[in-house]
Amino acid sequence: MTRRIETAILISGRGSNMAALIAAARAPDYPAHIGVVIADRPEAGGLALAREAGVETLAIDAKAAGGRTAFESALDAAVRTRGIELICLAGFMRILSADFVGRWPALNIHPSLLPAYKGLDTHSRALADGVREHGCTVHWVAPELDAGEIVAQTRVPVLPGDDAERLAGRVLVAEHALYRTALAEVSRRLIAGG
Ligand code: GRF
């Protein structure tokens, strides 16, 4: 059995990037194994998708946990007990503390060509600026929002007639492919000890 990086995916919503990673990790030679999907909201749609795909799911209700410290200690215990080596944020709408980020290597996918358009509403902001190119980025998670080291990017052209929804749809397709490739690359590097 080839070595695979034991990975947890953190979600808050529909989980299409999560689903892309789960699908990729079904390939026998994919260097990451998705051990668990964790949501910070029990109603996150992606939880059902993960369950259907046969992946263990867990909801740690951030509201019920009573604050970030309590939420993060539950999260820390959940990933530690499962032997997780790498965390992938996929539409996870919570800012993790510097302490947590310092303890766990984590990747994030962001729908813009970072460092442009950090934060929310990236598609409408890019359209309002009249940019010709938009895209998505996989980056290491750092304490500062959307600011960690860039792992990989895909450029997506802005087309005539684009509105935020159309552009977001095209970027999302690119996100799925980019995240699959980036997780594989990072996992191979980790396995090689780099
Ligand atoms: C994606 O566009 C991702 O880049 C952003 O939030 C969205 C999540 O979509 N962080 P999904 O839950 O993966 O479908």
Side-chain angles (χ1 to χ4, degrees):
M1 189 65 187
T2 44
R3 161 118 165 81
R4 288 164 169 241
I5 296 296
E6 198 59 21
T7 304
I9 305 177
L10 268 52
I11 61 167
S12 299
R14 67 187 164 186
S16 72
N17 277 289
M18 170 212 78
L21 296 182
I22 290 174
R26 282 211 195 97
D29 60 345
Y30 196 78
H33 173 256
I34 311 305
V36 65
V37 167
I38 303 174
D40 62 342
R41 302 163 57 236
E43 60 276 24
L47 286 174
L49 286 182
R51 270 194 299 271
E52 279 160 27
V55 176
E56 188 199 357
T57 61
L58 191 65
I60 303 175
D61 190 342
K63 277 193 200 135
R68 184 160 83 171
T69 308
F71 171 77
E72 287 188 352
S73 66
L75 180 59
D76 183 83
V79 286
R80 203 156 10 85
T81 54
R82 286 168 178 79
I84 295 301
E85 299 168 276
L86 177 66
I87 293 175
C88 287
L89 309 186
F92 183 69
M93 301 305 287
R94 191 162 291 279
I95 295 171
L96 295 166
S97 69
D99 181 51
F100 189 91
V101 168
R103 267 179 292 135
W104 290 99
L107 296 173
N108 182 41
I109 181 118
H110 182 77
S112 78
L113 293 171
L114 289 173
Y117 307 114
K118 296 175 180 176
L120 298 174
D121 300 324
T122 58
H123 309 298
S124 41
R125 283 155 60 211
L127 287 172
D129 286 349
V131 297
R132 290 221 173 123
E133 250 187 354
H134 190 43
C136 49
T137 303
V138 171
H139 64 94
W140 287 105
V141 176
E144 196 191 325
L145 185 69
D146 300 329
E149 186 194 334
I150 291 172
V151 175
Q153 291 186 310
T154 301
R155 295 175 180 279
V156 174
V158 176
L159 300 181
D162 265 352
D163 57 16
E165 200 180 326
R166 280 183 58 177
L167 182 56
R170 207 168 332 106
V171 170
L172 193 63
V173 173
E175 289 184 41
H176 298 163
L178 181 69
Y179 216 172
R180 279 197 288 268
T181 311
L183 175 58
E185 275 174 22
V186 164
S187 297
R188 285 195 193 99
R189 238 185 279 154
L190 291 173
I191 290 167

